[in-house]
Each structure stands twice: as structure tokens, then as C-alpha cells.
Amino acid sequence: MQGKVEICGVNTSKLKVLRNEETMELLRRTKEGDKEAREKLIQGNLRLVLSVIQKFMGRGENADDLFQVGCVGLIKAIDNFDITQPVRFSTYGVPMIIGEIRRYLRDNSAIRVSRSMRDTAYKVMQAREKLMAQSQREPTVEQIAAELGIPREEVVFAMDAIMDPVSLFEPVYSDSGDTVCVMDQVKDTKNTDEHWLEHIALKDALDRLGEREKHILALRFYEGKTQMEVSAEVGISQAQVSRLEKNALKTIQKNI
């Protein structure tokens, strides 16, 4: 993508940029059926498409394909934009272009999603675009769920299922030093080497205890029973339970 000047036969270095006033005037004429104004509007916003597809580069996708799909999103935005709303066209157009590109990437993804989940996701996307056309702003999950008459959780699950996968090697920060990738920020606090070593050491220390001490510790710390309840179950006094428990814990500490 870097250094590429021509995309789909379009010289990107010579793309026009419309002022907001020009855009709104062309939108008004387009709504009245002026095809020439619609064509000028499309040509004048191709740089907007170009800026959006930059976010999706680096995934092995062809820049020409992304640009064409982005243009489809641009055309949908032009056709659905409500000129009576006090919103800049770019504010409405960018999410529409992004949505079209993401839909394309999902359809061509190697990760398979169930048909029912995909159908729900498409309904969610359609409802989102409909609500955006009505209010000219991004709808909430609750609004989408109410529009479709389904639980909020289904909306969230459907959207999560079709989200684009992220590479563990994708950079999230880069300065003069080393680049920080996604994998550097993914941390498993449970299955660490330290946790495994502590687990092995604890198991070894417990194995050195007598059967009665193991039983008392299991009742106290795994089943959550009081010393009085343990004494009744084991058949010894509460003082003996307390002494055996303390000695067992000291032994474990020493062995660890």
C-alpha cells in the first residue's frame, strides 16, 4: 500500500477534497435526482475511502479490493444520508465505509461461524445501519436489541463472533525502543511457571503430612468447616484440632 499511487485505476495523488458546504450542496442535488451531482459527490469523497482502508492494511488483503468495497460503503452512505440532520457527512460516511469493509473481511475470513450466528450478526448490522440512518449517530447495543426484539446478550455474542481476528504479532505501540505487540500484553495469571512451581511445591509438602493432618486441612480449608465442626467429625477435641492444624501449616511452610 505504501507508495502506491494508483488504486483501481484512480490516481490517489490527484483525488479532490470537497468542502463541507460543497458536499451538502451536492447531497441536496443528489436527493433531487441529479446524477451528475451524485457522481461528483462520489469522486469528491474517494479520499475519505482511501483514509479508511489504511486502517485495514497489513492483513494480506488486496488494496484494490478494499478500495472497491469501501466505495460501495460510500455509495450506501450517500444514498442513506439524511440532509435534514445537523451532522457532517464524514461523521456518517466513515462508519458506513468501515462496516462495508468489515462485512467483506468477515465473508472472506478463514474462521468459520455458525449459520445462525452469522444470520443474527447480519440482522444486527442491518438494524445498526437503519438506526444510524434515522438518528445519524452510532446506536447502542440496547437500541439494536430493541429494534430486533432479541436479548442484548445475543447482539453482543453475534458481533463478537464475527469480529476480525487480531494477530498476536500485531504491533500496538512502537517508539524508539522495541515494538510492543499484542502478545506482550496478553497475560495468563493462572497458568504461569511460578504458579506451577508453587503448586508442585505445595503438593510435595502436603504429601509429607500424616493422613489425619491432611484430613483436617481438607475439612478446614477445602470444605470451610470450623474447628469445632472438624473436632466433632474427626472425634478429637477442638484444642487438638487447633494444635494439629498449626503444626501442619508450619510443616508446609518449612518444606515450601
Side-chain angles (χ1 to χ4, degrees), residues 5-237:
V5 177
E6 189 172 289
I7 297 181
C8 298
V10 177
N11 189 334
T12 59
S13 65
K14 296 182 179 180
L15 289 177
K16 297 179 181 179
V17 178
L18 296 175
R19 297 194 305 273
N20 185 55
E21 297 77 12
E22 292 177 310
T23 299
M24 296 307 295
E25 174 60 22
L26 289 172
L27 280 166
R28 184 189 62 77
R29 288 167 52 190
T30 298
K31 296 299 179 181
E32 294 174 352
D34 190 332
K35 293 183 179 180
E36 184 180 349
R38 185 172 185 267
E39 184 63 28
K40 288 182 179 179
L41 194 56
I42 294 172
Q43 293 294 329
N45 281 280
L46 291 180
R47 190 173 290 277
L48 187 65
V49 177
L50 185 64
S51 66
V52 171
I53 70 171
Q54 302 280 355
K55 305 177 188 297
F56 295 91
M57 299 311 298
R59 305 186 185 198
E61 296 293 335
N62 185 279
D64 289 354
D65 293 341
L66 292 180
F67 188 75
Q68 290 181 48
V69 174
C71 289
V72 173
L74 171 64
I75 292 170
K76 286 185 177 181
I78 291 172
D79 293 341
N80 293 309
F81 185 74
D82 186 352
I83 59 176
T84 63
Q85 297 292 330
V87 179
R88 293 178 66 92
F89 174 72
S90 59
T91 303
Y92 177 73
V94 168
M96 291 287 284
I97 297 169
I98 292 174
E100 197 66 30
I101 293 175
R102 283 179 173 167
R103 185 181 293 110
Y104 165 78
L105 293 175
R106 284 195 301 271
D107 290 343
N108 291 274
S109 173
I111 298 175
R112 308 309 301 169
V113 179
S114 69
R115 180 65 178 272
S116 60
M117 185 68 74
R118 186 181 291 275
D119 289 344
T120 301
Y122 282 140
K123 289 177 182 177
V124 168
M125 294 298 293
Q126 290 172 352
R128 173 180 171 272
E129 291 178 6
K130 176 183 175 182
L131 292 171
M132 279 187 64
Q134 292 174 352
S135 63
Q136 306 295 302
R137 62 173 59 91
E138 186 73 29
T140 64
V141 173
E142 289 75 12
Q143 289 173 327
I144 295 174
E147 175 70 20
L148 295 175
I150 60 177
R152 178 184 185 279
E153 291 75 14
E154 286 191 27
V155 175
V156 176
F157 291 154
M159 296 308 296
D160 285 346
I162 60 173
M163 283 185 67
D164 300 326
V166 177
S167 170
L168 288 174
F169 297 97
E170 182 171 329
V172 294
Y173 176 77
S174 180
D175 203 351
S176 55
D178 294 334
T179 299
V180 177
C181 299
V182 172
M183 67 183 303
D184 297 319
Q185 297 190 326
V186 176
K187 185 177 180 181
D188 185 350
T189 58
K190 182 178 180 181
N191 298 308
T192 61
D193 292 343
E194 293 82 1
H195 183 271
W196 291 337
L197 289 172
E198 288 175 2
H199 181 74
I200 292 170
L202 179 60
K203 184 178 184 299
D204 185 58
L206 286 170
D207 288 340
R208 298 184 185 186
L209 298 176
E211 290 302 320
R212 186 163 65 169
E213 284 128 331
K214 288 181 185 178
H215 186 44
I216 289 172
L217 291 182
L219 293 173
R220 288 280 289 127
F221 298 104
Y222 286 96
E223 298 186 22
K225 293 186 177 182
T226 64
Q227 289 184 348
M228 288 298 294
E229 291 173 330
V230 172
S231 68
E233 183 168 333
V234 177
I236 59 178
S237 67

